[in-house]
Amino acid sequence: MSEEKPVCSAKGCRAGAVWVLAWNNPKLHTPERRKTWLACEEHREHLSQFLGVRGFLKDVVPLAEWDADGESAADR
């Protein structure tokens, strides 16, 4: 079984993910809950702005650091 490489969450993008954007919707999620989107270099700013203007963005972390902390970037 081969392990799939994480890809960017931007619509139609199949580039490798480099960033994890941690977010939550305060109307739906408890304050400590973190959902994640993955982003390539090209889409990091766009996805961050999309979440940021809605007040959802909590953190942007390099994928390697997120994985090193034991978090699962696959739970998007």
Side-chain angles (χ1 to χ4, degrees):
M1 176 167 41
S2 67
E3 196 172 311
E4 288 187 39
K5 298 210 182 238
V7 296
C8 182
S9 298
K11 186 175 182 177
C13 184
R14 301 309 298 161
V18 182
W19 298 96
V20 175
L21 285 66
W23 62 277
N24 84 4
N25 179 340
K27 292 182 180 178
L28 302 175
H29 307 122
T30 59
E32 64 279 352
R33 172 96 188 262
R34 291 295 178 266
K35 301 286 285 179
T36 57
W37 281 357
L38 302 179
C40 64
E41 286 292 345
E42 181 181 347
H43 291 111
R44 181 183 70 107
E45 187 63 31
H46 171 74
L47 293 173
S48 293
Q49 286 179 355
F50 180 89
L51 293 168
V53 299
R54 290 160 177 79
F56 295 174
L57 186 63
K58 302 301 178 192
D59 205 4
V60 179
V61 180
L63 179 60
E65 285 182 27
W66 187 266
D67 286 343
D69 289 341
E71 300 287 345
S72 174
D75 180 30
R76 295 181 264 164

